[in-house]
C-alpha cells in the first residue's frame, strides 16, 4: 500500500462530490419531509445559501481554545471517516485514503468527531450543551453495540476486515449482498443506524426547542458553517460504510447516489413517524430489540 | 434612510383615520448626558465578595467584571470587495433565520408561517431557538420594560449583521398602550429597527410581504441596524437605562 | 563446655542467695539477679553454638550417678539448647524491662522470677515425667507468686483462677504419672517411649491423663479462660516470659511426652492445635483490650505449633526447621509486643496511637507483626511454605485450608491494629521511652531480623535477605533521616541501574514488564520530588514493593515467585496506608491480597505434590486430576491483584485515598503483577478442563464482566480518583479478556494493554492528583473551568482520554485493532457481546472526567489557582511524548514481543515491515492515519482561523441562558449526577452486590466472635468446669485412637 | 482388698473436685482442693502397694539382699513426699490469695471476681 501523491486530488474530488451531494440530499430529504406535511418545503439550494450566510457573518465569539476547535474536530471526523473508506468499488480514483486503515479504523473514527464536538460543547460552559452531550454519549453506547456486533458478524462471514474485500465478496448479483446472506446482521445494523442519525425517535440529543439544539447551542456563524458542512458529509460517510458492508457497495457514482438516498430514506421514514424517546427508553429499546438480532447474527455466521 | 411602511391590504385607504402614519424621524444623536449612576442595589449574587480559595488564598470576586465580557460592540465593516458583499447580502437575504422569541401578541401570527398554507421555509426563512444562530429578531407587538430587558440581552447575543422587525403599531408609537406605565412607546429609541409591519397584528400574508421587503433591503445592503447600534451604542444604552430601572447586567451582553 | 545443670543450680543458688541479703540492698540484689541470668543465657548460647557445629552428639546428663530408671536424666540436644537460650534470653530481657518494678517489689520478687526461669529451663531439660510435674508446679507457684507480688488489683482474681485451674491439672497429671509408672515401671520418657505400643494397649487412659494434662498446660482454646485473664492483667514483661518462654517449655514437654503415646495420638494433638488456632484468632477479632488480644494471639500461635507437632510424622527432617521457625517467630514477636505494650499507658487498642510519631518503635511494631504472620523475610514464611507443601504431599488439604484461614484471621486483626495506630483520629500523647525498656524492644527487633537471616541461611531455597532489591529497600531504613528529595534521587538511581543490570537477562515478555516496573516506576517517582520534608516510611515501603515486583518477573521457582508476591503486597500495603482516610481500604486490600496469596500457596503446594522446591516450568507437568484445581487457585490468587470483578472492592478505595504520587504507582504498576502472574500461568498451564468447562472460557467471562461492570460503575462516580480506579478495573478486565482468548493476537493485545494502561493511567492519576492538590478536593462537581488555569494538566488528560477511548490517531486504537483481529480467530464468541458494550461506555466516564474538571463553569474559589506543581507536570509531559511515540511506532515495543509470542501461538501473527502492520484479516498503518488526520485537522483549522478572524473572547456567563442571567457558577455547571438518565436505564447493573457479599462475610465473622466470646464468663469456677468438660470431650472424641479403631 | 485404698483415693478426689466446683466461698474451695490433693496422694501410695509385703525400710529384719522380694515398691512413696510438699505450697498460695482478695473485696465469693472476662 505505497503512498502515491495522486491519491490526494482524487480524494478531494470524492470530497467535493460528496459535499455537494450531501447538501442537495439534505435539502431533498427536508423537502420530502415537508411535502409529507403538505408544505412546499425549502428550495433545493437552501443549504448552500445557509452555509454561505453563516460563513459570511461578520462577528463571532469564542469561549476558549477547545470551543474554537470543537467544530474543527467535528468536520475532520466527518471528512476523515469519508476518506478512510473506499466509496466506489473497483476504481482506483475513488478508493480514497483507505490504505491507512481497515473497517475498524472506520468503526472507531466515528467517535473522533463526537469526542471533539463534546469537548467543544463542554468548553462553552452552557449546561444544556453538557446535558446534550451526556444524553448523546449515553445513547451512543447502546446504539453502537448492535452495529459492532453486525460488523463483527460480517467480518466473520467474509473472513476479512478490509472493506474492499468485503465489497468484492458481495459483487455479482444483488442476491449475495449481506442483506440476503446475513439478514440478522443487516437488521441489527439498520436499527443502530436509526440511533446514530439524530432523527426523531432518537434525537433527544439535539432535541430542538427542549434543550435548544443541545451541544451546538453556543455555536454560530463560521463554527456553525463548519458543522453544516459536516452535517452534509458525516451522514453520507457513515452510510458509505453501511452500503459497503451490507448493500454491496457502489460500482459507479449513480448507483452510489441511489443507494445512499435509499439508506437515508430508511431513517427519514422512521423519523417522520415516531415521537422522541427519552434516553433510558432508547437505551432499553436498543438492548431489547437490536442487540438480540446482533447476537443471533454473530452466533449463526 | 426612509422607513417603508406597509399598509394592511385588507383595509382600503379611505377607511383609515387620517392619522399621520409617518412618525417624526428619530435621529440617534450623540449621547446627551452620562447615564445616571446605577441607583438600585445589586442582587446578592452580583455583589462584590471575597472568597477563601484552597490553601487559604483570599480571592476578590466582582461578578459583573469577572463573569461577563465588558467589551463594547464595534462597527463591523462590510467585506472588502463589493462583489463579495453583494454575494453575502444575497445569501443573508435568502436565508433569514428568525429568533424564536415571541415578545408580544404578534408571535401567534408567526406560527402559521410554519404551516403548509403560508410556509415561510420556501423563502429560506427558518426559526432558530438560540439568538447566537439567529439573524432576525421580530418584536411582535407591545414591549413591556421587563421584556425589553430580555429582548436587549437576546438582541445583543445575536451576531452582526442582525435585523429587527417591529410588528404592529405598538412598536411604532405605543399603539393602544400609548399611555401605559410599563410599555415602551417607540421601539426605535431602544433597538435599531429595520422594518415595521403595521396592523394590529398583521396577518401572516402581511408578515410574508414584510419579509419580502426586508429581503430587498438586505439585498440592497440597507439593513445595517447592527452597525448603527454599535455606532450609537451609548445613546441606545442611555435610553434603555432610563427605562429599565433594575439594570443588573453588563452594558453589552455578548 | 559448662555442664547444662549449671543453668538450674545457678539460678536456684542466686534465688536463695538473695534471701540472705538485707532488704534495702535492692540494687545489689537486682545486679546479682541480672548477673546470674546473663551467665545462664551465656551458657545456653555456648551450648547452642557448640551443638550447631555438630548437632549429632546431644548430651545426656545423669543425676545422682545412676542410669535413668533410678535417677532423673536431663538431655541437652540442639533443640533443647535453642529453647533454653530463648527462655533465658527472654527472662534476662524481661528482668531488664522490669528494673523499676523489681526495685519497688524487692528481692522476694527477684527470687521468684529466678525460680520461674529455672523451672522453665527444667521443663525443657528433664526426661523424667515426675520431674516434669515438679517443674510445672514450680512454674505455677512462681507465676502465682509474681502475680500476687505485683500489687495489681485486677490480677489477684486472675491469679486465683490460675491456681484453681492448675490444681485440677496437677490432679490429672499426678494420677496419669502414677498409673503410667505402675504399668511401665519407669518414670523416664525414653524407657516409656520404648514400650509405647504395650502401654497404649494396656492402659490408654493413663497416658491420656498425662497427655491431656500437658495439653491443658498449653492453654488450648475452649479451656483457657484462666490463662487469658493472666495475660490481660499481669505485668507485660511477665506476660512476655509467660507467653514466650513458658509457652515454649510446655510445647517442648508435649513434644517429648507424645513420643510415649506414639503416632496414633498425633491427630488428637493436631485437632486440638488447629481448633485453638482458629478459635483464638476468631475471638481476637472482637477484642478491644491490647493485652487480651495478645493473649488470644499467643494461644492461637501455640495452638498452631501444637498442630505442627501433631504433624510430626509426615514432616520428617524439616520438622525442627518448621516448628522451630514458627515457635521462635511467635516467641520473639509476642514478647516484643508485650514489651511494647509496657510503654503504652491505656489498655485500649486506640491508645497505641502514642507510637505514631515514634518511627523506630513503629518499625519495631511492624517487624513483630510481620514476624507473627510470617511475611517474607521472617522465619514464619519459610516454615509456613514447607509446612503447607509437606501437608499437601500427605494430601491433608482440609488441614491446610484451616491453617490458612486461621492465618488470614490473624492478619485481619493484626493489620487492623496497625492501621488504627497510624490512622486513628484522636492521638494519645507521646509514649514515654525509658532507656531500659526501649533497649529491650530494640534487642527483640535485632533478634527478629537476625532470626530472619538465620532461617534464610537454613532454608534450602536461598536466603531472601541475600536478594539485592530487598537489601536496597532495607538500606533506606537507616537513611530515613535524609530529606525526601535526596532519597528520591537515590531511589530513582537504584531502579534505573537495576534495570540496566537486569536488561540482558530479560526475555521479551519480562522486558515489557521490567520496562514498566523499573524505569516506569522511576518515572512516576519523579512526581515525588514535589514533597518537601522527609516522608518517613515512603521510600522503604515503595522500594520494598519495587523489589517484590522486580524479583517476581525473574522468579524461576515457585518459592521466589511467592516470596516476591508477598513482599510486593506488603510494600504496596504500606504505600496505600499513607493516604489520610485510606485505613479501611488498605485493610481490605491486604486481606484480599494475602487471601489471594494463600490461595496461590495452596495452588503451588497442590501442584508440587509435596516437594517444596518446585520450578515454575514444571507447572506444565502437573498431575491431570489436580491440574484444574491448581489452575483455579493460582488464577484466583492472581486475579485478586488485577481486581477482577468479585475481588475488586479494595481497588477503588485504595487508589482514591492514596497520595498523589502513590495512586499512579498502584494503578500503573501494581496491577501488572497480577497480569504477569496470569501470563506465566497461561504460558505453562494453557487450557484446563474442569467438569467439562474450559477454564479459559470462564476467564473470558470474568474479563468481559469486569470490563463491563468496571466501566459502568466508573460512570456514576463523583470522586475523580474513584472514577479512574474503576476504569482500571475495566482495563484490567480487557487485558484479562485478551489473555483468556488464548491466541497470538489476544496475548499481543494484553501486552499492548499492559503498556498502554501503564502510560495513560499513570498520566491521568498524576494530573487528577495535581488538580486535587491545587483545588483541595477530589469531588468533580466542585471543580470546573480549570482549562485556562491548568492548561498542561488539561493537555495531559485530553491525550489520556483519547488514548483510553481508543480513538484512532493515538495508541489506544492499536489495542482495539489487535483486539478485533484477536476475536476474529477466537472460537468462543459469546462474551464478545459484553466487551462490545463495554467499549463505548468508556467514553462516558472519560468525557465526564475532562468535562467536570476542566470545561464548564469556573468556581469562585478556584479563580486564582496556579498550574499543578512542576514535578507532577513533568512526568505527565513525558508520558504524553511516550504516547505519541508509541502511537506512531507501536512496533518499537511490540515487534519483539510479537516474535516471542510466536513460540506459544505460531499462527496468525502480525508482520511489521513498512509503515503498515498487516494481520491475516486487516491492516493498520498508524503513521499514515496520524498524517491524514493531522493534515485534515490542520487545513480545516487554518480555514476556520481564516474565516473566523475577529472572534470576541467572552467570559463564563456570556451564554445563551434563555435571555436570562445565569445565577452562580455552581448552579450553572452541569456535573452532579452527570449520567442520571443512564442510571435509570442500566443502573440496576451497578448494585453493590459484591460489596454486600464481602460485608456480610466480615460481619458474620465479627458477630460470631462477639457472640461466642461470651463463653469466658470471668467466673473461675466456670473456667474449671470448662476445663474438665474439655478433658472429658477430648477423651470421648479420641476414644477412636484409644481402641485402635 | 488392696483396691480399697485406691478406691478411697479416687473417691476423695471426686469429692474434692465436686466441692471445689460447687462452693461459692473461696475458703471452702481451698479446703475442697486440699481434700482432692490428699485423695491424689492416697492414690499415689496405693498404687505402690503389693499385697503381703512389708514397708520399704531396710533395717535388720529386712536386709538389702532380699529387699526387692519382700518390700513393696518404694518409688511412689518418694513421689508422694514431693507431691505433698508441692500441695502445701499451692494451698499456702491460695490462702494468701484468699486473704488479699478478702482485704480488697471484703467478700470471699468467687462469683464476685468477674471483671476480667470475654
Amino acid at each position: 500500500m505505497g503512498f502515491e501523491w495522486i491519491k490526494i486530488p482524487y480524494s478531494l474530488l470524492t470530497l467535493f462530490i460528496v459535499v455537494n451531494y450531501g447538501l442537495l440530499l439534505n435539502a431533498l430529504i427536508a423537502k420530502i419531509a415537508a411535502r409529507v406535511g403538505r408544505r412546499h418545503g425549502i428550495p433545493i439550494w437552501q443549504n448552500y445559501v445557509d452555509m454561505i450566510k453563516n460563513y459570511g457573518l461578520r462577528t463571532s465569539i469564542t469561549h476558549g481554545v477547545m470551543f474554537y476547535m470543537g467544530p474543527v474536530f467535528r468536520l475532520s471526523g466527518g471528512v476523515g471517516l469519508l476518506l478512510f473508506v473506499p466509496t466506489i468499488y473497483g476504481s482506483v480514483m475513488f478508493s480514497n485514503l483507505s490504505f491507512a486503515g481497515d473497517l475498524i479504523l472506520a468503526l472507531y473514527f466515528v467517535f473522533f468527531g463526537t469526542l471533539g464536538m463534546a469537548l467543544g460543547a463542554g468548553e462553552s460552559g452552557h449546561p444544556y450543551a453538557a446535558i446534550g452531550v451526556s444524553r448523546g454519549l449515553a445513547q451512543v453506547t447502546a446504539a453502537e453495540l448492535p452495529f459492532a456486533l453486525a460488523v463483527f458478524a460480517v467480518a466473520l462471514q467474509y473472513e476479512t476486515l478490509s472493506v474492499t474485500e468485503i465489497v468484492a465478496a458481495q459483487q455479482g448479483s444483488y442476491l449475495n449482498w449481506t442483506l440476503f446472506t446475513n439478514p440478522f446482521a443487516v437488521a441489527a445494523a439498520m436499527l443502530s443506524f436509526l440511533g446514530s442519525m439524530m432523527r426523531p425517535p432518537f434525537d433527544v440529543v439535539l432535541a430542538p426547542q427542549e434543550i435548544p439544539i443541545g451541544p451546538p447551542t453556543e455555536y454560530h456563524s463560521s463554527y456553525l458553517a463548519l458543522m453544516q458542512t459536516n452535517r452534509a458529509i458525516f451522514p453520507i460517510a457513515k452510510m458509505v460504510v453501511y452500503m459497503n458492508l451490507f448493500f454491496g457497495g457502489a460500482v459507479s457514482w449513480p448507483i452510489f447516489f441511489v443507494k445512499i438516498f435509499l439508506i437515508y430514506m430508511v431513517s427519514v421514514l422512521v423519523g417522520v413517524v415516531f415521537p422522541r424517546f427519552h434516553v433510558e427508553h432508547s437505551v432499553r429499546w436498543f438492548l431489547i430489540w437490536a442487540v438480540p438480532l446482533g447476537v443471533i447474527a454473530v452466533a449463526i455466521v | 434612510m426612509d422607513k417603508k411602511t406597509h399598509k394592511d391590504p385588507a383595509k382600503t385607504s379611505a377607511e383609515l383615520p387620517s392619522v399621520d402614519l409617518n412618525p417624526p424621524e428619530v435621529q440617534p444623536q450623540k449621547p446627551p448626558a452620562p447615564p445616571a449612576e446605577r441607583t438600585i442595589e445589586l442582587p446578592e449574587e452580583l455583589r462584590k465578595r471575597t472568597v477563601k480559595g484552597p490553601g487559604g488564598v483570599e480571592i476578590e470576586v466582582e461578578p459583573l467584571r469577572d463573569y461577563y465580557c465588558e467589551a463594547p460592540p464595534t462597527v463591523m465593516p462590510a467585506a472588502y470587495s463589493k462583489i463579495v458583499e453583494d454575494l453575502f447580502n444575497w445569501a443573508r437575504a435568502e436565508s433569514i433565520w428568525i429568533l424564536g422569541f415571541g415578545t408580544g401578541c404578534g408571535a401567534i401570527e408567526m406560527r402559521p408561517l410554519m404551516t403548509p398554507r403560508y410556509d415561510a421555509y420556501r423563502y429560506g426563512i427558518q426559526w432558530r431557538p438560540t439568538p447566537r444562530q439567529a439573524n432576525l429578531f421580530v418584536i411582535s407587538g407591545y414591549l413591556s420594560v421587563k421584556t425589553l430587558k430580555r429582548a436587549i440581552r437576546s438582541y445583543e447575543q445575536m451576531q452582526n449583521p442582525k435585523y429587527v422587525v417591529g410588528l404592529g403599531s405598538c412598536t411604532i408609537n405605543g399603539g393602544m398602550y400609548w399611555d401605559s406605565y410599563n410599555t415602551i412607546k417607540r421601539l426605535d429609541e431602544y433597538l435599531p429597527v429595520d422594518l415595521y409591519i403595521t396592523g394590529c397584528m398583521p396577518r401572516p400574508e402581511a408578515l410574508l410581504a414584510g419579509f419580502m421587503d426586508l429581503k430587498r433591503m438586505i439585498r440592497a445592503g440597507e439593513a445595517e441596524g447592527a452597525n448603527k447600534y454599535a455606532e450609537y451604542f451609548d445613546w441606545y444604552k442611555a435610553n434603555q437605562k432610563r427605562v429599565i430601572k433594575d439594570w443588573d447586567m453588563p452594558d453589552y451582553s455578548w | 563446655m559448662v555442664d547444662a545443670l549449671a543453668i538450674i543450680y545457678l539460678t536456684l543458688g542466686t534465688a536463695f542467695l538473695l534471701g540472705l541479703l538485707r532488704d534495702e540492698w535492692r540494687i545489689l540484689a537486682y545486679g546479682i539477679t541480672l548477673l546470674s541470668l546473663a551467665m545462664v543465657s551465656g551458657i545456653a548460647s555456648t551450648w547452642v553454638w557448640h551443638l550447631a557445629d555438630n548437632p549429632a552428639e546431644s548430651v545426656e546428663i545423669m543425676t545422682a550417678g545412676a542410669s535413668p530408671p533410678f535417677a532423673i536424666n536431663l538431655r541437652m540436644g540442639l533443640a533443647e539448647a535453642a529453647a533454653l537460650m530463648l527462655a533465658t534470653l527472654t527472662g534476662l530481657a524481661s528482668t531488664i524491662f522490669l528494673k523499676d518494678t523489681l526495685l519497688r517489689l524487692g528481692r522476694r520478687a527477684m527470687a521468684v522470677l529466678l525460680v520461674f526461669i529455672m523451672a522453665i529451663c527444667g521443663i525443657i531439660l528433664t526426661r523424667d515425667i515426675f520431674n516434669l510435674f515438679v517443674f510445672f508446679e514450680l512454674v505455677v507457684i512462681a507465676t502465682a507468686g509474681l502475680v500476687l507480688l505485683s500489687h495489681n488489683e485486677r490480677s489477684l482474681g486472675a491469679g486465683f483462677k490460675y491456681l484453681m485451674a492448675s490444681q485440677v491439672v496437677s490432679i490429672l497429671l499426678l494420677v496419669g504419672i502414677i498409673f503410667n509408672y505402675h504399668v511401665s515401671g519407669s518414670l523416664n520418657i525414653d524407657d516409656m517411649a520404648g514400650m509405647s505400643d504395650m502401654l497404649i494397649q494396656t492402659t490408654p487412659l493413663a497416658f491420656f491423663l498425662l497427655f491431656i494434662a500437658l495439653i491443658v498446660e498449653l492453654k488450648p482454646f475452649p479451656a483457657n479462660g484462666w490463662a487469658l485473664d493472666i495475660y490481660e492483667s499481669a505485668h507485660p514483661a511477665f506476660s512476655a516470659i509467660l507467653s514466650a518462654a513458658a509457652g515454649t517449655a510446655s510445647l517442648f514437654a508435649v513434644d517429648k511426652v507424645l513420643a510415649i503415646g506414639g503416632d496414633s495420638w498425633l491427630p488428637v494433638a493436631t485437632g486440638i492445635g488447629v481448633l485453638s488456632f482458629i478459635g483464638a484468632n476468631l475471638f481476637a477479632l472482637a477484642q478491644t483490650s491490647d493485652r487480651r488480644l495478645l493473649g488470644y494471639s499467643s494461644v492461637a500461635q501455640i495452638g498452631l505449633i501444637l498442630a505442627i507437632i501433631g504433624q510430626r510424622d509426615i514432616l520428617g527432617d524439616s520438622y525442627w526447621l518448621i516448628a522451630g521457625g514458627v515457635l521462635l517467630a511467635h516467641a520473639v514477636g509476642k514478647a516484643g509486643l508485650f514489651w511494647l505494650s509496657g510503654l503504652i499507658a491505656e489498655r485500649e487498642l486506640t491508645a497505641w496511637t502514642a507510637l505514631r510519631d515514634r518511627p523506630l518503635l513503629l518499625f519495631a511494631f511492624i517487624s513483630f507483626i510481620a514476624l507473627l504472620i510470617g511475611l517474607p523475610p521472617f522465619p514464619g514464611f519459610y516454615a509456613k511454605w514447607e509446612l503447607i507443601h509437606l501437608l499437601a504431599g500427605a494430601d491433608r488439604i482440609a488441614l491446610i485450608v484451616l491453617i490458612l484461614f486461621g492465618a488470614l484471621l490473624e492478619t485481619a486483626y493484626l493489620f487492623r491494629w496497625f492501621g488504627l495506630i497510624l490512622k486513628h483520629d484522636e492521638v494519645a500523647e507521646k509514649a514515654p521511652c525509658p532507656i531500659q525498656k526501649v533497649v529491650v524492644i530494640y534487642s527483640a527487633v535485632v533478634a527478629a531480623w537476625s532470626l530472619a537471616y538465620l532461617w534464610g541461611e537454613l532454608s534450602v531455597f536461598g536466603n531472601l535477605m541475600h536478594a539485592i532489591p530487598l537489601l536496597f529497600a532495607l538500606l533506606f531504613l537507616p537513611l530515613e533521616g535524609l530529606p525526601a528529595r535526596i532519597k528520591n534521587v537515590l531511589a530513582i538511581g537504584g531502579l534505573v541501574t537495576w534495570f540496566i543490570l537486569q536488561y540482558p537477562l530479560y526475555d521479551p515478555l519480562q522486558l515489557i514488564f521490567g520496562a514498566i516496573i523499573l524505569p516506569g516506576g522511576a518515572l512516576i517517582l519523579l512526581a515525588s520530588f514535589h514533597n518537601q520534608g522527609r516522608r518517613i516510611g515512603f521510600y522503604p515501603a515503595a522500594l520494598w514493593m519495587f523489589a517484590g515486583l522486580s524479583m517476581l518477573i525473574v522468579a524461576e521457582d515457585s518459592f521466589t515467585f511467592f516470596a516476591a508476591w508477598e513482599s510486593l503486597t506488603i510494600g504496596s500495603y504500606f504505600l496505600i496506608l499513607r493516604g489520610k482516610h485510606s485505613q479501611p481500604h488498605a485493610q481490605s486490600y491486604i486481606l484480599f491480597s494475602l487471601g489471594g496469596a494463600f490461595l496461590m500457596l495452596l495452588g503451588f503446594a497442590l501442584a508440587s505434590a509435596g516437594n517444596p522446591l518446585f520450578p515454575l516450568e514444571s507447572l506444565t507437568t502437573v498431575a491431570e486430576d489436580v491440574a484444574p484445581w491448581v489452575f483455579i487457585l493460582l488464577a484466583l490468587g492472581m486475579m485478586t491483584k488485577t481486581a477482577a470483578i468479585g475481588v475488586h472492592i479494595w481497588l477503588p478505595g485504595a487508589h482514591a485515598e492514596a497520595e498523589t504520587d502513590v495512586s499512579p504507582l498502584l494503578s500503573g504498576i501494581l496491577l501488572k503483577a497480577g497480569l504477569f502472574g496470569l501470563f506465566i500461568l497461561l504460558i505453562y498451564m494453557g487450557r484446563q478442563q474442569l467438569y467439562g468447562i474450559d477454564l479459559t472460557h470462564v476467564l473470558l467471562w470474568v474479563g468481559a464482566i469486569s470490563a463491563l461492570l468496571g466501566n459502568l460503575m466508573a460512570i456514576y462516580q463523583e470522586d475523580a480518583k474513584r472514577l479512574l480506579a474503576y476504569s482500571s478495573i475495566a482495563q484490567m478486565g480487557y487485558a484479562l479478556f485478551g489473555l483468556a482468548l488464548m491466541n497470538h493476537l489476544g496475548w499481543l493485545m494484553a501486552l499492548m494493554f499492559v503498556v498502554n494502561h501503564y502510560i495513560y493511567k499513570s498520566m491521568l492519576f498524576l494530573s487528577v492528583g495535581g488538580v486535587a492538590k491545587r483545588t483541595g478536593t477530589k469531588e468533580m462537581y466542585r471543580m470546573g473551568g480549570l482549562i485556562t488555569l491548568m492548561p498542561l494538566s488539561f493537555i495531559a488528560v485530553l491525550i489520556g482520554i483519547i488514548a483510553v477511548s481508543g480513538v484512532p490517531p493515538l495508541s489506544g486504537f492499536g489495542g482495539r485493532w489487535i483486539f478485533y483481529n484477536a476475536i476474529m480467530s477466537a472460537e468462543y464468541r459469546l462474551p464478545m457481546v459484553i466487551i462490545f458494550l463495554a467499549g463505548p461506555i468508556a467514553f462516558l466516564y472519560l468525557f465526564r472526567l475532562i468535562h467536570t474538571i476542566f470545561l464548564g463553569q469556573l468556581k469562585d474559589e478556584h479563580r486564582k489557582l496556579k498550574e499543578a506543581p512542576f514535578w507532577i507536570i513533568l512526568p505527565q509531559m513525558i508520558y504524553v511524548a511516550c504516547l505519541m511515540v508509541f502511537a506512531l511506532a507501536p512496533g518499537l515495543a511490540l515487534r519483539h514481543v510479537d516474535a516471542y509470542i510466536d513460540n506459544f501461538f505460531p499462527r496468525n501473527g502480525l508482520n511489521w515491515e513498512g509503515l503498515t502492520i498487516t494481520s491475516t484479516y486487516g491492516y493498520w498503518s498508524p503513521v499514515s492515519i496520524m498524517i491524514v488526520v493531522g493534515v485534515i485537522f490542520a487545513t480545516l483549522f487554518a480555514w476556520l482561523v481564516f474565516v473566523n478572524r475577529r472572534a470576541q473572547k467572552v467570559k463564563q456567563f456570556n451564554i445563551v441562558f434563555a435571555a436570562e442571567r445565569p445565577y452562580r457558577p455552581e448552579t450553572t455547571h452541569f456535573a452532579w449526577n452527570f449520567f442520571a438518565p443512564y442510571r435509570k436505564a442500566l443502573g440496576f447493573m451497578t448494585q453493590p452486590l459484591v460489596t454486600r457479599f464481602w460485608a456480610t462475610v466480615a460481619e458474620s465473622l465479627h458477630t460470631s466472635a462477639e457472640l461466642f466470646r461470651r463463653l469466658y464468663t470471668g467466673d473461675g469456677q466456670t473456667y474449671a468446669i470448662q476445663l474438665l468438660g474439655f478433658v472429658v470431650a477430648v477423651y470421648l472424641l479420641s476414644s477412636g485412637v484409644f481402641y485402635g479403631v | 482388698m488392696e483396691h480399697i485404698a485406691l478406691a478411697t483415693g479416687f473417691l476423695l478426689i471426686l469429692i474434692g473436685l465436686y466441692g471445689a466446683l460447687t462452693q461459692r466461698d473461696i475458703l471452702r474451695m481451698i479446703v475442697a482442693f486440699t481434700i482432692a490433693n490428699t485423695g491424689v496422694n492416697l492414690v499415689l501410695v496405693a498404687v505402690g502397694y503389693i499385697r503381703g509385703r512389708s514397708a520399704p525400710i531396710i533395717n535388720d529384719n529386712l536386709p538389702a539382699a532380699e529387699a526387692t522380694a519382700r518390700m513393696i515398691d518404694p518409688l511412689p512413696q518418694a513421689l508422694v513426699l514431693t507431691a505433698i510438699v508441692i500441695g502445701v505450697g499451692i494451698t499456702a498460695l491460695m490462702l494468701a490469695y484468699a486473704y488479699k482478695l478478702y482485704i480488697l473485696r471484703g467478700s470471699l465469693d468467687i462469683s464476685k471476681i468477674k471483671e476480667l472476662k470475654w
Side-chain angles (χ1 to χ4, degrees), chain B residues 45 49 67-68 132 150, chain C residues 860 955 957-958 963-965:
Chain B
E45 70 272 7
R49 50 183 180 267
Y67 293 156
Y68 297 94
R132 293 274 189 241
R150 274 68 186 178
Chain C
D860 290 347
K955 298 208 177 119
F957 267 6
N958 293 113
E964 268 310 319
R965 171 171 49 76

Side-chain angles (χ1 to χ4, degrees), chain C residues 717-996:
Chain C
Q717 296 306 321
E718 294 298 340
D719 177 332
K721 279 197 167 180
R722 274 182 182 274
L723 183 140
L724 287 174
Y726 278 109
S727 144
S728 292
I729 296 178
Q731 301 288 326
M732 283 300 117
Y734 253 100
L736 180 62
F737 184 84
L739 254 175
L741 282 175
M742 297 301 276
N743 60 21
H744 184 100
L745 288 177
W747 283 29
L748 191 64
M749 167 212 163
L751 278 171
M752 181 107 176
F753 252 89
V754 163
V755 177
N756 263 344
H757 183 261
Y758 160 71
I759 296 177
Y760 50 67
K761 198 43 67 76
S762 322
M763 177 163 65
L764 287 176
F765 262 113
L766 277 176
S767 44
V768 165
V771 166
K773 181 171 281 293
R774 285 294 185 222
T775 54
T777 167
K778 298 201 292 284
E779 302 284 301
M780 290 196 281
Y781 61 87
R782 284 217 179 82
M783 309 181 208
L786 296 179
I787 179 169
T788 43
L789 300 164
M790 309 175 86
L792 289 175
S793 301
F794 174 73
I795 289 167
V797 172
L798 178 65
I799 300 288
I801 68 168
I802 292 179
V804 174
S805 54
V807 169
L810 288 185
S811 61
F813 174 67
R816 292 301 202 284
W817 182 74
I818 297 177
F819 163 73
Y820 255 86
N821 284 292
I823 56 175
M824 286 290 287
S825 49
E827 85 298 338
Y828 185 65
R829 292 205 197 97
L830 218 49
M832 308 304 167
V833 178
I834 298 183
I835 282 285
F836 283 141
L837 177 61
I841 292 182
F843 275 97
L844 271 69
Y845 64 78
L846 290 173
F847 177 72
R848 177 175 191 169
L849 181 75
I850 197 162
H851 172 71
T852 44
I853 295 177
F854 291 101
L855 309 176
Q857 299 287 343
L858 179 64
K859 306 294 184 307
D860 290 347
E861 62 269 17
H862 297 152
R863 299 197 78 81
K864 290 257 186 314
L865 281 186
K866 293 195 299 299
E867 177 51 282
F870 166 73
W871 284 107
I872 292 185
I873 289 293
L874 178 65
Q876 289 173 38
M877 290 311 125
I878 297 171
Y879 283 134
V880 167
C882 286
L883 266 183
M884 286 304 170
V885 163
F886 195 52
L888 277 175
L892 272 182
L894 295 182
R895 190 190 301 268
H896 317 291
V897 175
D898 189 24
Y900 174 75
I901 297 178
D902 260 347
N903 45 44
F904 304 114
F905 300 99
R907 284 181 342 315
N908 58 43
L910 301 176
N911 52 44
W912 297 82
E913 83 289 339
L915 287 178
T916 318
I917 302 158
T918 48
S919 76
T920 46
Y921 299 101
Y923 52 90
W924 161 50
S925 86
V927 175
S928 34
I929 293 177
M930 184 70 92
I931 294 169
V932 165
V933 170
V935 162
I936 295 175
F937 191 86
T939 40
L940 291 178
F941 186 63
W943 165 249
L944 181 65
V945 163
F946 164 69
V947 167
N948 188 2
R949 280 183 299 282
R950 295 186 301 282
Q952 166 67 40
K953 185 84 184 67
V954 294
K955 298 208 177 119
Q956 64 188 69
F957 267 6
N958 293 113
I959 52 176
V960 169
F961 211 60
E964 268 310 319
R965 171 171 49 76
Y967 176 58
R968 294 175 66 87
E970 290 78 12
T971 55
T972 15
H973 182 53
F974 176 64
W976 173 262
N977 202 0
F978 197 78
F979 290 106
Y982 205 66
R983 190 193 290 273
K984 287 205 211 70
L986 293 177
F988 66 90
M989 282 206 210
T990 55
Q991 297 301 329
L993 299 174
V994 176
T995 335
R996 261 189 237 126

Side-chain angles (χ1 to χ4, degrees), chain C residues 520-536:
Chain C
L523 204 55
I524 296 179
L525 279 182
L526 277 180
S528 313
F529 276 119
H530 81 276
N531 311 70
Q532 280 69 27
R534 295 194 310 201
R535 288 197 90 182
I536 300 286

